[in-house]
Amino acid sequence: MKARDPRRILHEITLQRNGSSGSEQLTSGTPTTRPQVEAPADKRAVPSQPVVVPDITQQFTKNLKNIADIMTSSQALPSPPVISPNHASQPMQASSGTEMKTVSNAELQNGTCRVVDTGASIASRSQNSWGDVEHLFEGYDDQQKAAIQRERARRIEEQKKMFAARKLCLVLDLDHTLLNSAKFAEVEPVHDEMLRKKEEQDREKPQRHLFRFPHMAMWTKLRPGIWNFLEKASKLYELHLYTMGNKLYATEMAKVLDPMGALFAGRVISRGDDGDSVDGDDRYPKSKDLEGVLGMESAVVIIDDSVRVWPHNKLNLIVVERYTYFPSSRRQFGLLGPSLLEIDHDERPEDGTLASSLAVIERMHDIFFSHQSLDDVDVRNILATEQRKILAGCRIVFSRVFPVGEANPHLHPLWQTAEQFGAVCTIHIDDQVTHVVANSLGTDKVNWALSRGRFVVHPGWVEASALLYRRANEQDFAIKP
């Protein structure tokens, strides 16, 4: 980030005050790429009406929304502020990648950091009335500070309208979450023939799932259950579509998912560079943020297949299993085994990824609006509570999952994921242990578990439980001789 980025400045100050390294989440560490299609240069353009932020200077406006969040959080505190997010007791989230651990804006809006100003009086405030956070904006002139005030007031007003309609905000990743796309050149001739037959049959259905785009030289496969998901989610949330693809790709995908423009109403954000190559697998994934998204972060839920692209909003994030229908996508992420296309099989719409995600966001919506004071409730706290229910009551011992002699097993992503979703992990066998997680039979811990009727499961059981937001069936992951 640039040196003058207030988000980074706030991170450093918060780290000094709290001595906290922030919060990370399990990630595969695999660089991601998104389909790119040639189009006129416009890095932030979107279909229909673009979501824009007031243009003061290019560097300044990039973080305008984040600065407004800082103001909302900081001005709700006494001076000097006491930043004490109440998620400190939640299970640590881990990353196997190389991300820096920082305190995010999302963390600052938990606990005592909440909105107390309705925005009605913000315009009348002195431009220099910054309280304890004035030092964060050294180098910004009065015009820029006034823009922050206007942005904050606008976002609070947006949120009030959403709440009046009993809606929250839902940001949906496109690629590998809602659908999977592949260039013609990436599809083998034998698979292209299969796709053409499937696409011809699919045309006769009222709700299609397979599309061929000759002008983009691309196949697109929608994830099963997407139409039911979008219909029901749109009644509870203001939907935003987010893609790292370029403008043309974002526009075409939005037309497929929302041909009448009723679901997203122009709330489509594209972050891809128009000149980017498709084959950029070695590039570090670009990051996403909530710039251009309605409301405050306390009312935003994100669904994405990647955690690494949301470095500042992990606590808002529901991570889903990556949808890799095409063989090229599995190769892109280094995944072993055949693709869904190759085995001619797909997720079941009634209990697949999108059905599971829909159940989670429906529960979150119900819990959020059950509170009398909506200013006091935060979707991030609700999500963390829902996560801890998944493996609650499970006491887990790992057997040869970590390297022998591992000094800090509690830092392993699998350990941290299990605890994030409510399990208690230990290195010692005791009568309270319910599960032994192992890769094979024959270890002392596995033999102990089998002799006492405890579950012996593959590590995939933990991962599946976390991705589907329900305790996976142990029999499906049992270690067999």
Side-chain angles (χ1 to χ4, degrees), residues 426-439:
T426 177
I427 59 175
H428 301 294
I429 290 289
D430 58 42
D431 290 338
Q432 281 73 49
V433 169
T434 60
H435 294 72
V436 171
V437 175
N439 285 307

Side-chain angles (χ1 to χ4, degrees), residues 67-353:
I67 299 171
D69 266 327
I70 294 171
M71 289 303 303
T72 299
S73 298
S74 301
Q75 290 190 340
L77 298 172
S79 181
V82 179
I83 303 175
S84 55
N86 62 9
H87 68 277
S89 62
Q90 297 174 8
M92 177 72 74
Q93 298 172 317
S95 171
S96 60
T98 57
E99 298 177 50
M100 287 186 63
K101 291 186 177 182
T102 59
V103 178
S104 68
N105 293 343
E107 294 173 281
L108 296 178
Q109 288 188 325
N110 281 334
T112 58
C113 300
R114 61 182 179 86
V115 179
V116 295
D117 192 323
T118 63
S121 62
I122 191 70
S124 63
R125 288 187 181 182
S126 167
Q127 293 180 353
N128 295 319
S129 178
W130 297 102
D132 187 66
V133 297
E134 184 172 1
H135 61 283
L136 297 178
F137 306 99
E138 294 177 2
Y140 295 114
D141 58 31
D142 288 344
Q143 184 183 13
Q144 293 170 336
K145 293 179 181 180
I148 297 171
Q149 291 178 320
R150 290 193 299 271
E151 171 68 5
R152 176 175 176 270
R154 181 186 67 80
R155 292 173 59 204
I156 292 177
E157 188 62 29
E158 288 172 348
Q159 182 159 290
K160 289 166 62 179
K161 292 178 180 178
M162 285 197 303
F163 287 174
R166 290 185 64 81
K167 284 190 173 184
L168 299 171
C169 179
L170 180 62
V171 178
L172 296 170
D173 171 57
L174 189 63
D175 310 289
H176 306 115
T177 298
L178 297 183
L179 52 81
N180 186 203
S181 295
K183 286 281 199 177
F184 286 171
E186 298 172 333
V187 178
E188 298 290 336
V190 61
H191 296 143
D192 185 74
E193 184 177 351
M194 291 174 59
L195 289 168
R196 287 177 180 270
K197 292 179 180 179
K198 289 178 178 291
E199 193 262 345
E200 185 176 353
Q201 297 170 352
D202 198 56
R203 285 185 213 158
E204 301 175 1
K205 299 178 181 178
Q207 294 180 325
R208 296 180 58 186
H209 284 79
L210 183 60
F211 297 84
R212 188 176 186 271
F213 299 101
H215 66 293
M216 295 192 298
M218 182 178 292
W219 285 100
T220 293
K221 173 66 172 64
L222 305 188
R223 194 167 207 158
I226 189 169
W227 298 116
N228 181 63
F229 174 88
L230 292 176
E231 177 189 359
K232 293 185 177 178
S234 65
K235 296 177 181 178
L236 306 176
Y237 291 80
E238 294 285 358
L239 304 184
H240 291 67
L241 199 60
Y242 209 130
T243 177
M244 300 303 273
N246 61 24
K247 178 184 177 182
L248 178 58
Y249 179 72
T251 302
E252 290 295 336
M253 296 303 104
K255 289 179 181 177
V256 168
L257 298 176
D258 186 19
M260 303 302 294
L263 297 176
F264 299 106
R267 296 184 294 270
V268 183
I269 303 172
S270 62
R271 282 286 185 262
D273 294 337
D274 296 308
D276 280 352
S277 168
V278 175
D279 302 319
D281 294 9
D282 58 338
R283 293 182 303 159
Y284 189 85
K286 299 175 183 179
S287 64
K288 300 178 181 178
D289 56 44
L290 294 179
E291 180 183 355
V293 174
L294 297 176
M296 309 299 289
E297 293 181 8
S298 58
V300 177
V301 180
I302 304 166
I303 298 180
D304 202 318
D305 66 284
S306 174
V307 65
R308 295 183 68 187
V309 297
W310 293 100
H312 306 290
N313 302 100
K314 290 184 174 67
L315 300 180
N316 301 75
L317 180 61
I318 297 174
V319 182
V320 297
E321 184 176 8
R322 186 166 284 141
Y323 186 57
T324 54
Y325 184 78
F326 297 102
S328 58
S329 295
R330 294 193 67 82
R331 293 194 299 269
Q332 172 187 329
F333 294 108
L335 300 175
L336 301 176
S339 67
L340 295 172
L341 172 60
E342 290 173 293
I343 63 175
D344 197 19
H345 185 71
D346 212 341
E347 296 180 358
R348 294 188 301 182
E350 63 273 12
D351 59 1
T353 293

